[in-house]
Amino acid sequence: MINKTAMVTISGRPNVGKSTLLNALVGEKIAIVTNKPQTTRNRILAVLNQGETQFVFVDTPGYHAPRTRLGEYMVRVVRESVADVDAVILMVEPIPNIGPQEQQLIKWIAANGTPSILVINKIDTVKKEELLAVIDCYQSAHTFDAILPMSAKSGDGVRELTAVLNQYALEGPQLFPDDMITDQPERQIVAEIIREKLLLCMQKEIPHGTAVEITKFSERENGIIDIEATIYTEKASHKGMIIGKQGAMLKQIGEMARRDIERFMGTKVYLQTWVKVKERWRDSDFLLRNFGYQSD
């Protein structure tokens, strides 16, 4: 029976492995994962019930210097998410140097007085003795409650992390039902799956100028789900690249997305995709709200 809860924010620079950790913690693919920075744009909440404790994890966009209104929104999400929680995980790479992103995150964590855990990810990429310099570097910058080396990709260290986080659980009613693993609506998850395939298939400069809107989401009597999605890009030249020669690239993106959506929904899916141009949508408050980024 759940009688304790702990709300924990996962923070860090882009591409450090936050979404991989979130998925490993809850045992489900909640957040999209690619090797490109700034994959996560919004706050993602995931729920793990373990024993008498309900953990609520908040995955955040990677902290970076914003260059657009979307970037400003993402930074605000990060700053707000490291406050008013029971603990904050600062996830870093095994490098004995504190970059400006980590310095700012540490500053926010310290200002809020939030209990914090340093997770040194990607330990499979360095020798064990090299971790000592990384630990010394961060210990000199902030007093962390715990420092845990980890490989979120392999799952090494994940169980130890949940054991440490249990100390922050407070007595009280559970916040979410037993069968709930995320607060994201199905439409949003489907849109993110399509965007993940864009990130995986396209060149570096294109995906960050794209957004996905689900314009139809309906279920037939036989259980098949019909989904129509529009991919927006900022440049006409990028539209052609996303569609590809004779539609080959868009077909590949759609097929990859459909397979993942079917696994997520547990049923057959009929997916149709279109590509439209919306210039400078990342600087439009109206379009940011329309695409699910509630910029004020």
Side-chain angles (χ1 to χ4, degrees):
M1 180 178 178
I2 301 295
N3 56 34
K4 295 193 299 181
T5 60
M7 183 165 283
V8 182
T9 288
I10 306 171
S11 66
R13 69 164 60 213
N15 208 33
V16 76
K18 299 181 297 300
S19 295
T20 302
L21 174 59
L22 180 80
N23 294 337
L25 284 164
V26 300
E28 297 280 352
K29 185 173 181 178
I30 302 300
I32 65 174
V33 178
T34 76
N35 61 1
K36 293 183 173 66
Q38 299 174 37
T39 297
T40 301
R41 287 175 172 171
N42 224 329
R43 165 195 160 280
I44 297 173
L45 183 148
V47 181
L48 170 66
N49 294 324
Q50 193 172 79
E52 61 180 10
T53 303
Q54 181 172 84
F55 294 99
V56 181
F57 296 105
V58 182
D59 185 21
T60 60
Y63 176 70
H64 64 287
R67 295 193 296 269
T68 64
R69 293 286 285 173
L70 174 61
E72 292 171 2
Y73 163 78
M74 291 164 65
V75 169
R76 188 166 67 251
V77 168
V78 176
R79 184 166 188 171
E80 292 172 352
S81 297
V82 299
D84 298 324
V85 290
D86 298 309
V88 175
I89 295 169
L90 175 60
M91 199 168 196
V92 303
E93 295 188 347
I95 301 170
N97 176 61
I98 303 177
Q101 295 99 325
E102 288 81 12
Q103 290 174 5
Q104 183 61 67
L105 287 165
I106 289 172
K107 183 178 178 180
W108 286 340
I109 292 169
N112 289 308
T114 310
S116 56
I117 297 168
L118 181 71
V119 168
I120 305 172
N121 193 29
K122 305 180 183 180
I123 58 171
D124 49 328
T125 63
V126 297
K127 296 178 181 178
K128 286 186 177 181
E129 53 267 28
E130 295 178 39
L131 292 174
L132 294 176
V134 182
I135 293 171
D136 288 343
C137 183
Y138 279 92
Q139 278 183 329
S140 65
H142 182 70
T143 303
F144 293 94
D145 289 10
I147 298 178
L148 297 176
M150 175 183 292
S151 172
K153 188 175 182 179
S154 70
D156 184 14
V158 172
R159 183 175 297 179
E160 290 80 359
L161 177 59
T162 55
V164 170
L165 292 173
N166 198 55
Q167 67 181 299
Y168 303 110
L170 302 175
E171 290 189 7
Q174 67 185 77
L175 301 175
F176 298 96
D178 290 338
D179 59 349
M180 183 174 175
I181 58 172
T182 182
D183 65 340
Q184 292 188 98
E186 289 177 341
R187 279 175 172 261
Q188 182 65 27
I189 293 176
V190 167
E192 285 292 275
I193 289 172
I194 296 170
R195 192 168 66 85
E196 177 187 56
K197 305 315 172 189
L198 272 164
L199 286 161
L200 291 172
C201 292
M202 302 303 298
Q203 297 178 24
K204 185 168 67 173
E205 73 274 10
I206 295 175
H208 297 305
T210 58
V212 178
E213 181 183 22
I214 304 301
T215 54
K216 180 181 179 181
F217 191 101
S218 62
E219 186 175 352
R220 305 180 194 177
E221 289 185 2
N222 60 6
I224 293 176
I225 295 176
D226 291 301
I227 298 173
E228 295 181 3
T230 300
I231 298 168
Y232 292 96
T233 184
E234 291 184 314
K235 297 181 180 180
S237 60
H238 288 176
K239 176 181 177 179
M241 296 172 73
I242 293 170
I243 294 173
K245 188 176 181 180
Q246 297 181 332
M249 178 58 71
L250 187 60
K251 182 180 179 181
Q252 179 183 353
I253 291 167
E255 288 179 349
M256 291 172 65
R258 180 185 54 77
R259 287 194 293 268
D260 269 17
I261 294 167
E262 287 183 339
R263 278 193 289 268
F264 169 70
M265 299 299 300
T267 188
K268 289 288 184 181
V269 169
Y270 181 66
L271 174 65
Q272 288 185 292
T273 55
W274 290 269
V275 184
K276 293 183 179 180
V277 177
K278 288 282 187 183
E279 294 183 1
R280 296 182 61 81
W281 68 262
R282 286 180 290 181
D283 281 312
S284 166
D285 288 337
F286 172 77
L287 290 175
L288 287 174
R289 285 191 293 269
N290 196 46
F291 296 149
Y293 310 117
Q294 300 300 317
S295 180
D296 296 322

